[in-house]
Amino acid sequence: FFLAISAVATTVFVSQYHGSHQHKRYGPITWQMLWFGFFSIPFFLIVGYYGPDWIWSGDRLEKQYFRWAAYFGCSYVFYGALSGFFIGQGQTRLVSYLALATNIINIFLDYYLIFIANLGVAGAAMATSASMVFQAIVLA
């Protein structure tokens, strides 16, 4: 939900401003969606802390994965806003190459955190979350 709002809003408005040559208006809409991401942090922290117990019972692997994924959920909102900034300007190659590089990084992090650090499912969620944070930082 939050990712869709940030990505779609940024992409649509930046592309409209790009088409009408209003380049100075890219920044405000992108920052508005980044602020949306900042304000989503408490939501994701609450869902990460309480959500697994509300959804699953017992000690299940789904709870571990969901908890870590939710804690870093705001990084998806930041990524949506920042990728929308570039996609709206037609710079899709940058976002595509970055996604490819990030998936390769995710593969290596998965292997390390799951098998070498012996974190299991939690390691898989940490690797995916770290990859998303990496993408957002590079785009920023």
Side-chain angles (χ1 to χ4, degrees):
F1 172 74
F2 290 97
L3 167 63
I5 288 175
S6 68
V8 171
T10 307
T11 304
V12 167
F13 283 105
V14 169
S15 64
Q16 286 182 344
Y17 296 147
H18 184 72
S20 62
H21 304 290
Q22 298 179 39
H23 306 295
K24 292 183 179 184
R25 297 188 75 183
Y26 297 170
I29 188 62
T30 306
W31 271 106
Q32 190 174 31
M33 291 299 107
L34 289 172
W35 280 111
F36 180 64
F38 285 118
F39 289 123
S40 74
I41 291 172
F43 170 79
F44 285 113
L45 293 177
I46 291 168
V47 167
Y49 188 77
Y50 294 109
D53 295 326
W54 293 338
I55 299 170
W56 294 284
S57 62
D59 186 30
R60 301 185 59 162
L61 296 175
E62 295 94 342
K63 289 170 81 170
Q64 291 178 21
Y65 191 92
F66 183 84
R67 178 167 282 127
W68 281 102
Y71 283 153
F72 288 92
C74 63
S75 63
Y76 289 86
V77 183
F78 296 136
Y79 170 75
L82 294 167
S83 65
F85 174 79
F86 291 102
I87 292 169
Q89 296 177 60
Q91 298 179 17
T92 56
R93 235 182 240 174
L94 170 69
V95 177
S96 298
Y97 289 143
L98 179 61
L100 178 65
T102 301
N103 281 309
I104 292 169
I105 291 169
N106 189 17
I107 290 169
F108 288 109
L109 282 175
D110 274 331
Y111 180 78
Y112 178 78
L113 292 174
I114 293 170
F115 299 113
I116 296 174
N118 205 23
L119 293 174
V121 171
M126 289 178 200
T128 302
S129 299
S131 298
M132 187 55 63
V133 169
F134 172 77
Q135 272 186 313
I137 289 171
V138 169
L139 288 176

PDB file of all heavy atoms in Angstrom, residues 82-111:
ATOM      1  N   LEU A  82      11.974   7.409  -4.700  1.00  0.00           N
ATOM      2  CA  LEU A  82      13.209   7.732  -5.419  1.00  0.00           C
ATOM      3  C   LEU A  82      13.251   7.105  -6.815  1.00  0.00           C
ATOM      4  O   LEU A  82      13.727   7.736  -7.765  1.00  0.00           O
ATOM      5  CB  LEU A  82      14.412   7.294  -4.588  1.00  0.00           C
ATOM      6  CG  LEU A  82      14.586   8.074  -3.278  1.00  0.00           C
ATOM      7  CD1 LEU A  82      15.593   7.378  -2.374  1.00  0.00           C
ATOM      8  CD2 LEU A  82      14.992   9.506  -3.553  1.00  0.00           C
ATOM      9  N   SER A  83      12.753   5.883  -6.951  1.00  0.00           N
ATOM     10  CA  SER A  83      12.731   5.280  -8.285  1.00  0.00           C
ATOM     11  C   SER A  83      11.712   5.995  -9.169  1.00  0.00           C
ATOM     12  O   SER A  83      11.937   6.161 -10.369  1.00  0.00           O
ATOM     13  CB  SER A  83      12.425   3.788  -8.209  1.00  0.00           C
ATOM     14  OG  SER A  83      11.127   3.565  -7.727  1.00  0.00           O
ATOM     15  N   GLY A  84      10.593   6.447  -8.593  1.00  0.00           N
ATOM     16  CA  GLY A  84       9.606   7.202  -9.347  1.00  0.00           C
ATOM     17  C   GLY A  84      10.168   8.500  -9.900  1.00  0.00           C
ATOM     18  O   GLY A  84       9.789   8.942 -10.988  1.00  0.00           O
ATOM     19  N   PHE A  85      11.089   9.097  -9.145  1.00  0.00           N
ATOM     20  CA  PHE A  85      11.755  10.322  -9.590  1.00  0.00           C
ATOM     21  C   PHE A  85      12.494  10.077 -10.901  1.00  0.00           C
ATOM     22  O   PHE A  85      12.419  10.869 -11.835  1.00  0.00           O
ATOM     23  CB  PHE A  85      12.726  10.808  -8.504  1.00  0.00           C
ATOM     24  CG  PHE A  85      13.565  11.973  -8.903  1.00  0.00           C
ATOM     25  CD1 PHE A  85      13.044  13.260  -8.889  1.00  0.00           C
ATOM     26  CD2 PHE A  85      14.880  11.802  -9.292  1.00  0.00           C
ATOM     27  CE1 PHE A  85      13.823  14.347  -9.245  1.00  0.00           C
ATOM     28  CE2 PHE A  85      15.663  12.879  -9.654  1.00  0.00           C
ATOM     29  CZ  PHE A  85      15.138  14.159  -9.632  1.00  0.00           C
ATOM     30  N   PHE A  86      13.213   8.958 -10.973  1.00  0.00           N
ATOM     31  CA  PHE A  86      13.980   8.654 -12.182  1.00  0.00           C
ATOM     32  C   PHE A  86      13.106   8.083 -13.292  1.00  0.00           C
ATOM     33  O   PHE A  86      13.282   8.419 -14.460  1.00  0.00           O
ATOM     34  CB  PHE A  86      15.125   7.687 -11.846  1.00  0.00           C
ATOM     35  CG  PHE A  86      16.189   8.319 -11.008  1.00  0.00           C
ATOM     36  CD1 PHE A  86      16.260   8.073  -9.655  1.00  0.00           C
ATOM     37  CD2 PHE A  86      17.113   9.188 -11.569  1.00  0.00           C
ATOM     38  CE1 PHE A  86      17.228   8.662  -8.873  1.00  0.00           C
ATOM     39  CE2 PHE A  86      18.089   9.795 -10.802  1.00  0.00           C
ATOM     40  CZ  PHE A  86      18.148   9.527  -9.441  1.00  0.00           C
ATOM     41  N   ILE A  87      12.178   7.217 -12.945  1.00  0.00           N
ATOM     42  CA  ILE A  87      11.308   6.623 -13.963  1.00  0.00           C
ATOM     43  C   ILE A  87      10.437   7.686 -14.616  1.00  0.00           C
ATOM     44  O   ILE A  87      10.205   7.663 -15.824  1.00  0.00           O
ATOM     45  CB  ILE A  87      10.449   5.501 -13.345  1.00  0.00           C
ATOM     46  CG1 ILE A  87      11.344   4.332 -12.945  1.00  0.00           C
ATOM     47  CG2 ILE A  87       9.364   5.039 -14.314  1.00  0.00           C
ATOM     48  CD1 ILE A  87      10.655   3.287 -12.103  1.00  0.00           C
ATOM     49  N   GLY A  88       9.964   8.646 -13.837  1.00  0.00           N
ATOM     50  CA  GLY A  88       9.144   9.720 -14.371  1.00  0.00           C
ATOM     51  C   GLY A  88       9.879  10.575 -15.395  1.00  0.00           C
ATOM     52  O   GLY A  88       9.261  11.188 -16.267  1.00  0.00           O
ATOM     53  N   GLN A  89      11.202  10.604 -15.303  1.00  0.00           N
ATOM     54  CA  GLN A  89      12.009  11.355 -16.265  1.00  0.00           C
ATOM     55  C   GLN A  89      12.447  10.485 -17.440  1.00  0.00           C
ATOM     56  O   GLN A  89      13.150  10.956 -18.329  1.00  0.00           O
ATOM     57  CB  GLN A  89      13.270  11.901 -15.580  1.00  0.00           C
ATOM     58  CG  GLN A  89      12.979  12.892 -14.488  1.00  0.00           C
ATOM     59  CD  GLN A  89      14.259  13.320 -13.820  1.00  0.00           C
ATOM     60  OE1 GLN A  89      15.147  13.863 -14.487  1.00  0.00           O
ATOM     61  NE2 GLN A  89      14.369  13.081 -12.530  1.00  0.00           N
ATOM     62  N   GLY A  90      12.022   9.239 -17.432  1.00  0.00           N
ATOM     63  CA  GLY A  90      12.385   8.333 -18.512  1.00  0.00           C
ATOM     64  C   GLY A  90      13.734   7.660 -18.322  1.00  0.00           C
ATOM     65  O   GLY A  90      14.246   7.044 -19.249  1.00  0.00           O
ATOM     66  N   GLN A  91      14.316   7.757 -17.137  1.00  0.00           N
ATOM     67  CA  GLN A  91      15.617   7.143 -16.870  1.00  0.00           C
ATOM     68  C   GLN A  91      15.427   5.740 -16.276  1.00  0.00           C
ATOM     69  O   GLN A  91      15.883   5.441 -15.170  1.00  0.00           O
ATOM     70  CB  GLN A  91      16.430   8.028 -15.926  1.00  0.00           C
ATOM     71  CG  GLN A  91      16.731   9.388 -16.487  1.00  0.00           C
ATOM     72  CD  GLN A  91      17.508  10.246 -15.510  1.00  0.00           C
ATOM     73  OE1 GLN A  91      18.086   9.762 -14.559  1.00  0.00           O
ATOM     74  NE2 GLN A  91      17.515  11.548 -15.753  1.00  0.00           N
ATOM     75  N   THR A  92      14.768   4.894 -17.032  1.00  0.00           N
ATOM     76  CA  THR A  92      14.447   3.560 -16.539  1.00  0.00           C
ATOM     77  C   THR A  92      15.655   2.631 -16.520  1.00  0.00           C
ATOM     78  O   THR A  92      15.682   1.673 -15.754  1.00  0.00           O
ATOM     79  CB  THR A  92      13.342   2.922 -17.392  1.00  0.00           C
ATOM     80  OG1 THR A  92      13.766   2.909 -18.752  1.00  0.00           O
ATOM     81  CG2 THR A  92      12.050   3.701 -17.257  1.00  0.00           C
ATOM     82  N   ARG A  93      16.642   2.907 -17.351  1.00  0.00           N
ATOM     83  CA  ARG A  93      17.832   2.060 -17.391  1.00  0.00           C
ATOM     84  C   ARG A  93      18.562   2.072 -16.057  1.00  0.00           C
ATOM     85  O   ARG A  93      19.000   1.024 -15.582  1.00  0.00           O
ATOM     86  CB  ARG A  93      18.773   2.553 -18.485  1.00  0.00           C
ATOM     87  CG  ARG A  93      19.117   1.486 -19.455  1.00  0.00           C
ATOM     88  CD  ARG A  93      20.077   1.969 -20.481  1.00  0.00           C
ATOM     89  NE  ARG A  93      19.393   1.801 -21.757  1.00  0.00           N
ATOM     90  CZ  ARG A  93      19.841   2.198 -22.885  1.00  0.00           C
ATOM     91  NH1 ARG A  93      20.977   2.866 -22.942  1.00  0.00           N
ATOM     92  NH2 ARG A  93      19.177   1.978 -23.988  1.00  0.00           N
ATOM     93  N   LEU A  94      18.683   3.235 -15.469  1.00  0.00           N
ATOM     94  CA  LEU A  94      19.356   3.357 -14.174  1.00  0.00           C
ATOM     95  C   LEU A  94      18.665   2.486 -13.127  1.00  0.00           C
ATOM     96  O   LEU A  94      19.316   1.716 -12.417  1.00  0.00           O
ATOM     97  CB  LEU A  94      19.362   4.821 -13.710  1.00  0.00           C
ATOM     98  CG  LEU A  94      19.810   5.077 -12.276  1.00  0.00           C
ATOM     99  CD1 LEU A  94      21.292   4.792 -12.132  1.00  0.00           C
ATOM    100  CD2 LEU A  94      19.484   6.487 -11.863  1.00  0.00           C
ATOM    101  N   VAL A  95      17.365   2.582 -13.049  1.00  0.00           N
ATOM    102  CA  VAL A  95      16.598   1.817 -12.063  1.00  0.00           C
ATOM    103  C   VAL A  95      16.688   0.322 -12.365  1.00  0.00           C
ATOM    104  O   VAL A  95      16.830  -0.497 -11.447  1.00  0.00           O
ATOM    105  CB  VAL A  95      15.134   2.305 -12.021  1.00  0.00           C
ATOM    106  CG1 VAL A  95      14.312   1.480 -11.051  1.00  0.00           C
ATOM    107  CG2 VAL A  95      15.070   3.774 -11.637  1.00  0.00           C
ATOM    108  N   SER A  96      16.660  -0.041 -13.621  1.00  0.00           N
ATOM    109  CA  SER A  96      16.745  -1.464 -13.997  1.00  0.00           C
ATOM    110  C   SER A  96      18.106  -2.055 -13.663  1.00  0.00           C
ATOM    111  O   SER A  96      18.191  -3.159 -13.109  1.00  0.00           O
ATOM    112  CB  SER A  96      16.475  -1.637 -15.493  1.00  0.00           C
ATOM    113  OG  SER A  96      15.176  -1.202 -15.808  1.00  0.00           O
ATOM    114  N   TYR A  97      19.181  -1.349 -13.993  1.00  0.00           N
ATOM    115  CA  TYR A  97      20.522  -1.850 -13.683  1.00  0.00           C
ATOM    116  C   TYR A  97      20.749  -1.920 -12.176  1.00  0.00           C
ATOM    117  O   TYR A  97      21.387  -2.851 -11.682  1.00  0.00           O
ATOM    118  CB  TYR A  97      21.596  -0.983 -14.332  1.00  0.00           C
ATOM    119  CG  TYR A  97      21.666  -1.134 -15.838  1.00  0.00           C
ATOM    120  CD1 TYR A  97      21.938  -0.048 -16.648  1.00  0.00           C
ATOM    121  CD2 TYR A  97      21.449  -2.366 -16.457  1.00  0.00           C
ATOM    122  CE1 TYR A  97      22.005  -0.186 -18.025  1.00  0.00           C
ATOM    123  CE2 TYR A  97      21.511  -2.500 -17.829  1.00  0.00           C
ATOM    124  CZ  TYR A  97      21.788  -1.411 -18.605  1.00  0.00           C
ATOM    125  OH  TYR A  97      21.851  -1.556 -19.972  1.00  0.00           O
ATOM    126  N   LEU A  98      20.223  -0.944 -11.476  1.00  0.00           N
ATOM    127  CA  LEU A  98      20.357  -0.964 -10.026  1.00  0.00           C
ATOM    128  C   LEU A  98      19.594  -2.148  -9.429  1.00  0.00           C
ATOM    129  O   LEU A  98      20.080  -2.806  -8.513  1.00  0.00           O
ATOM    130  CB  LEU A  98      19.857   0.350  -9.422  1.00  0.00           C
ATOM    131  CG  LEU A  98      19.934   0.445  -7.905  1.00  0.00           C
ATOM    132  CD1 LEU A  98      21.372   0.307  -7.415  1.00  0.00           C
ATOM    133  CD2 LEU A  98      19.332   1.759  -7.427  1.00  0.00           C
ATOM    134  N   ALA A  99      18.419  -2.440  -9.952  1.00  0.00           N
ATOM    135  CA  ALA A  99      17.646  -3.593  -9.471  1.00  0.00           C
ATOM    136  C   ALA A  99      18.411  -4.892  -9.733  1.00  0.00           C
ATOM    137  O   ALA A  99      18.444  -5.781  -8.873  1.00  0.00           O
ATOM    138  CB  ALA A  99      16.279  -3.628 -10.139  1.00  0.00           C
ATOM    139  N   LEU A 100      19.037  -5.004 -10.877  1.00  0.00           N
ATOM    140  CA  LEU A 100      19.828  -6.190 -11.202  1.00  0.00           C
ATOM    141  C   LEU A 100      21.007  -6.325 -10.233  1.00  0.00           C
ATOM    142  O   LEU A 100      21.241  -7.400  -9.678  1.00  0.00           O
ATOM    143  CB  LEU A 100      20.322  -6.126 -12.650  1.00  0.00           C
ATOM    144  CG  LEU A 100      21.212  -7.275 -13.109  1.00  0.00           C
ATOM    145  CD1 LEU A 100      20.427  -8.587 -13.099  1.00  0.00           C
ATOM    146  CD2 LEU A 100      21.770  -6.976 -14.489  1.00  0.00           C
ATOM    147  N   ALA A 101      21.741  -5.238 -10.038  1.00  0.00           N
ATOM    148  CA  ALA A 101      22.886  -5.264  -9.122  1.00  0.00           C
ATOM    149  C   ALA A 101      22.444  -5.590  -7.700  1.00  0.00           C
ATOM    150  O   ALA A 101      23.100  -6.362  -6.986  1.00  0.00           O
ATOM    151  CB  ALA A 101      23.611  -3.919  -9.154  1.00  0.00           C
ATOM    152  N   THR A 102      21.321  -5.034  -7.292  1.00  0.00           N
ATOM    153  CA  THR A 102      20.827  -5.270  -5.942  1.00  0.00           C
ATOM    154  C   THR A 102      20.400  -6.716  -5.750  1.00  0.00           C
ATOM    155  O   THR A 102      20.618  -7.291  -4.678  1.00  0.00           O
ATOM    156  CB  THR A 102      19.654  -4.322  -5.641  1.00  0.00           C
ATOM    157  OG1 THR A 102      20.118  -2.979  -5.792  1.00  0.00           O
ATOM    158  CG2 THR A 102      19.148  -4.504  -4.238  1.00  0.00           C
ATOM    159  N   ASN A 103      19.817  -7.322  -6.761  1.00  0.00           N
ATOM    160  CA  ASN A 103      19.445  -8.733  -6.655  1.00  0.00           C
ATOM    161  C   ASN A 103      20.678  -9.627  -6.552  1.00  0.00           C
ATOM    162  O   ASN A 103      20.662 -10.633  -5.835  1.00  0.00           O
ATOM    163  CB  ASN A 103      18.564  -9.158  -7.818  1.00  0.00           C
ATOM    164  CG  ASN A 103      17.138  -8.706  -7.623  1.00  0.00           C
ATOM    165  OD1 ASN A 103      16.545  -8.951  -6.582  1.00  0.00           O
ATOM    166  ND2 ASN A 103      16.594  -8.028  -8.613  1.00  0.00           N
ATOM    167  N   ILE A 104      21.738  -9.270  -7.229  1.00  0.00           N
ATOM    168  CA  ILE A 104      22.984 -10.028  -7.108  1.00  0.00           C
ATOM    169  C   ILE A 104      23.545  -9.885  -5.695  1.00  0.00           C
ATOM    170  O   ILE A 104      23.976 -10.867  -5.078  1.00  0.00           O
ATOM    171  CB  ILE A 104      23.997  -9.574  -8.183  1.00  0.00           C
ATOM    172  CG1 ILE A 104      23.487  -9.982  -9.570  1.00  0.00           C
ATOM    173  CG2 ILE A 104      25.381 -10.153  -7.911  1.00  0.00           C
ATOM    174  CD1 ILE A 104      24.250  -9.369 -10.720  1.00  0.00           C
ATOM    175  N   ILE A 105      23.514  -8.663  -5.170  1.00  0.00           N
ATOM    176  CA  ILE A 105      23.950  -8.447  -3.787  1.00  0.00           C
ATOM    177  C   ILE A 105      23.085  -9.251  -2.829  1.00  0.00           C
ATOM    178  O   ILE A 105      23.580  -9.871  -1.877  1.00  0.00           O
ATOM    179  CB  ILE A 105      23.914  -6.939  -3.446  1.00  0.00           C
ATOM    180  CG1 ILE A 105      25.002  -6.199  -4.217  1.00  0.00           C
ATOM    181  CG2 ILE A 105      24.055  -6.704  -1.937  1.00  0.00           C
ATOM    182  CD1 ILE A 105      24.881  -4.687  -4.161  1.00  0.00           C
ATOM    183  N   ASN A 106      21.782  -9.273  -3.083  1.00  0.00           N
ATOM    184  CA  ASN A 106      20.853 -10.020  -2.236  1.00  0.00           C
ATOM    185  C   ASN A 106      21.189 -11.513  -2.225  1.00  0.00           C
ATOM    186  O   ASN A 106      21.116 -12.165  -1.180  1.00  0.00           O
ATOM    187  CB  ASN A 106      19.425  -9.795  -2.702  1.00  0.00           C
ATOM    188  CG  ASN A 106      18.397 -10.356  -1.743  1.00  0.00           C
ATOM    189  OD1 ASN A 106      18.684 -10.646  -0.590  1.00  0.00           O
ATOM    190  ND2 ASN A 106      17.190 -10.521  -2.220  1.00  0.00           N
ATOM    191  N   ILE A 107      21.572 -12.052  -3.365  1.00  0.00           N
ATOM    192  CA  ILE A 107      21.933 -13.473  -3.437  1.00  0.00           C
ATOM    193  C   ILE A 107      23.114 -13.767  -2.510  1.00  0.00           C
ATOM    194  O   ILE A 107      23.087 -14.734  -1.737  1.00  0.00           O
ATOM    195  CB  ILE A 107      22.252 -13.882  -4.887  1.00  0.00           C
ATOM    196  CG1 ILE A 107      20.982 -13.874  -5.728  1.00  0.00           C
ATOM    197  CG2 ILE A 107      22.935 -15.245  -4.944  1.00  0.00           C
ATOM    198  CD1 ILE A 107      21.226 -13.993  -7.220  1.00  0.00           C
ATOM    199  N   PHE A 108      24.150 -12.941  -2.593  1.00  0.00           N
ATOM    200  CA  PHE A 108      25.322 -13.162  -1.747  1.00  0.00           C
ATOM    201  C   PHE A 108      25.002 -12.942  -0.262  1.00  0.00           C
ATOM    202  O   PHE A 108      25.466 -13.698   0.594  1.00  0.00           O
ATOM    203  CB  PHE A 108      26.483 -12.268  -2.194  1.00  0.00           C
ATOM    204  CG  PHE A 108      27.089 -12.707  -3.493  1.00  0.00           C
ATOM    205  CD1 PHE A 108      26.904 -11.954  -4.636  1.00  0.00           C
ATOM    206  CD2 PHE A 108      27.817 -13.888  -3.583  1.00  0.00           C
ATOM    207  CE1 PHE A 108      27.442 -12.365  -5.848  1.00  0.00           C
ATOM    208  CE2 PHE A 108      28.362 -14.313  -4.786  1.00  0.00           C
ATOM    209  CZ  PHE A 108      28.178 -13.545  -5.921  1.00  0.00           C
ATOM    210  N   LEU A 109      24.216 -11.915   0.034  1.00  0.00           N
ATOM    211  CA  LEU A 109      23.815 -11.686   1.425  1.00  0.00           C
ATOM    212  C   LEU A 109      22.955 -12.833   1.948  1.00  0.00           C
ATOM    213  O   LEU A 109      23.092 -13.237   3.111  1.00  0.00           O
ATOM    214  CB  LEU A 109      23.057 -10.364   1.548  1.00  0.00           C
ATOM    215  CG  LEU A 109      23.882  -9.092   1.545  1.00  0.00           C
ATOM    216  CD1 LEU A 109      22.969  -7.878   1.559  1.00  0.00           C
ATOM    217  CD2 LEU A 109      24.815  -9.060   2.737  1.00  0.00           C
ATOM    218  N   ASP A 110      22.052 -13.337   1.103  1.00  0.00           N
ATOM    219  CA  ASP A 110      21.243 -14.492   1.502  1.00  0.00           C
ATOM    220  C   ASP A 110      22.131 -15.662   1.891  1.00  0.00           C
ATOM    221  O   ASP A 110      21.956 -16.260   2.954  1.00  0.00           O
ATOM    222  CB  ASP A 110      20.306 -14.924   0.373  1.00  0.00           C
ATOM    223  CG  ASP A 110      19.001 -14.163   0.358  1.00  0.00           C
ATOM    224  OD1 ASP A 110      18.559 -13.719   1.435  1.00  0.00           O
ATOM    225  OD2 ASP A 110      18.423 -14.014  -0.727  1.00  0.00           O
ATOM    226  N   TYR A 111      23.058 -15.995   1.019  1.00  0.00           N
ATOM    227  CA  TYR A 111      23.938 -17.128   1.300  1.00  0.00           C
ATOM    228  C   TYR A 111      24.698 -16.916   2.607  1.00  0.00           C
ATOM    229  O   TYR A 111      24.765 -17.809   3.452  1.00  0.00           O
ATOM    230  CB  TYR A 111      24.915 -17.351   0.149  1.00  0.00           C
ATOM    231  CG  TYR A 111      25.838 -18.522   0.392  1.00  0.00           C
ATOM    232  CD1 TYR A 111      25.373 -19.819   0.210  1.00  0.00           C
ATOM    233  CD2 TYR A 111      27.134 -18.325   0.836  1.00  0.00           C
ATOM    234  CE1 TYR A 111      26.201 -20.905   0.458  1.00  0.00           C
ATOM    235  CE2 TYR A 111      27.968 -19.401   1.090  1.00  0.00           C
ATOM    236  CZ  TYR A 111      27.497 -20.687   0.903  1.00  0.00           C
ATOM    237  OH  TYR A 111      28.316 -21.748   1.163  1.00  0.00           O
TER     238      TYR A 111
END
